[in-house]
């Protein structure tokens, strides 16, 4: 019988405290990476869902002006962005032919999502669904960028007034 080597001895069954600590450390590191990934995913989802919401209001304003054939500036539906957190929507929601009192909306407080400046930004739609400025001249307005410290989404309006959301743009800063 060959001599037994000390590292081949099976003196006990089970785990040592060191082995248990190593396994717990590995589980903690993997769990930490998973939590960070989930949080980053939620942050991207907040900016995209906010961009989709604002795009929906822009589309409602566009359709409202087209439906009513709004040719006077004071009858054209619009979305106005006041600052990083607040914007308003003025449409004919009750169908009486006149714009209702603007609905003021704010971005969710529990998220760090903001709208980028400069402010104010006003998006006015004429009877053809195209964007115009305060002198009723057709314009292609700047994109609306909504984001947080890690990601952003953009809402773009084309020359024909159509609204498009571009999600998940990587940014350094959003202000």
């Amino acid at each position: 019988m060959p001599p037994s080597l000390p590292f081949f001895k099976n003196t006990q069954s089970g785990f040592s405290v060191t082995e248990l600590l190593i396994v717990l450390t590995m589980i903690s590191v993997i769990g930490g990476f998973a939590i960070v990934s989930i949080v980053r995913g939620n942050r991207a989802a907040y900016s995209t869902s906010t961009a989709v919401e604002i795009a929906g209001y822009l589309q409602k304003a566009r359709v409202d002006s087209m439906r009513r054939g709004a040719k006077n500036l004071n009858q054209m539906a619009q979305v106005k962005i006041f600052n990083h957190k607040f914007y308003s929507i003025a449409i004919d929601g009750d169908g009486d032919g006149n714009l209702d009192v603007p609905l003021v909306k704010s971005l969710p407080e529990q998220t760090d999502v903001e709208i980028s400046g400069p402010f104010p930004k006003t998006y006015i739609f004429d009877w053809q669904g195209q964007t115009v400025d305060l002198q009723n001249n057709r314009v292609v307005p700047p994109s609306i960028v909504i984001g947080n410290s890690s990601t952003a989404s953009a809402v773009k309006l084309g020359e024909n007034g159509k609204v498009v959301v571009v999600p998940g743009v990587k940014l350094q800063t959003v202000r």
Side-chain angles (χ1 to χ4, degrees):
M1 177 167 205
S4 72
L5 298 173
F7 50 85
F8 284 132
K9 278 187 180 177
N10 189 3
T11 57
Q12 291 182 350
S13 62
F15 298 105
S16 70
V17 172
T18 306
E19 292 171 330
L20 188 59
L21 286 175
I22 290 171
V23 169
L24 289 175
T25 302
M26 289 172 32
I27 291 172
S28 298
V29 168
I30 292 169
F33 282 124
I35 290 171
V36 167
S37 296
I38 290 169
V39 168
R40 282 187 183 158
N42 285 344
R43 291 174 62 131
Y46 289 142
S47 67
T48 301
S49 66
T50 303
V52 168
E53 179 180 325
I54 291 173
Y57 284 123
L58 286 165
Q59 187 61 27
K60 276 185 180 183
R62 179 175 184 262
V63 168
D64 180 60
S65 282
M66 290 175 10
R67 176 183 59 82
R68 292 181 301 108
K71 293 185 180 175
N72 293 333
L73 200 58
N74 62 351
Q75 285 300 308
M76 293 179 188
Q78 61 181 278
V79 174
K80 185 171 191 171
I81 300 174
F82 299 112
N83 57 34
H84 295 289
K85 292 286 186 181
F86 291 94
Y87 61 98
S88 70
I89 305 97
I91 61 172
D92 176 20
D94 59 10
D96 66 357
N98 297 309
L99 292 177
D100 298 337
V101 174
L103 172 66
V104 177
K105 302 281 289 179
S106 66
L107 300 184
E109 287 187 30
Q110 66 270 24
T111 67
D112 64 345
V113 175
E114 294 183 342
I115 302 170
S116 66
F119 301 107
K121 297 179 186 182
T122 304
Y123 299 85
I124 305 169
F125 296 92
D126 67 8
W127 63 281
Q128 293 179 320
Q130 296 182 342
T131 51
V132 296
D133 61 13
L134 293 173
Q135 288 74 40
N136 204 2
N137 299 315
R138 290 198 176 143
V139 295
V140 177
S143 298
I144 303 170
V145 178
I146 300 111
N148 50 38
S149 58
S150 60
T151 63
S153 296
V155 179
K156 296 183 177 190
L157 285 92
E159 288 183 30
N160 58 2
K162 292 203 177 187
V163 182
V164 177
V165 176
V166 181
V169 179
K170 292 280 184 186
L171 291 180
Q172 297 296 349
T173 59
V174 176
R175 289 193 177 227

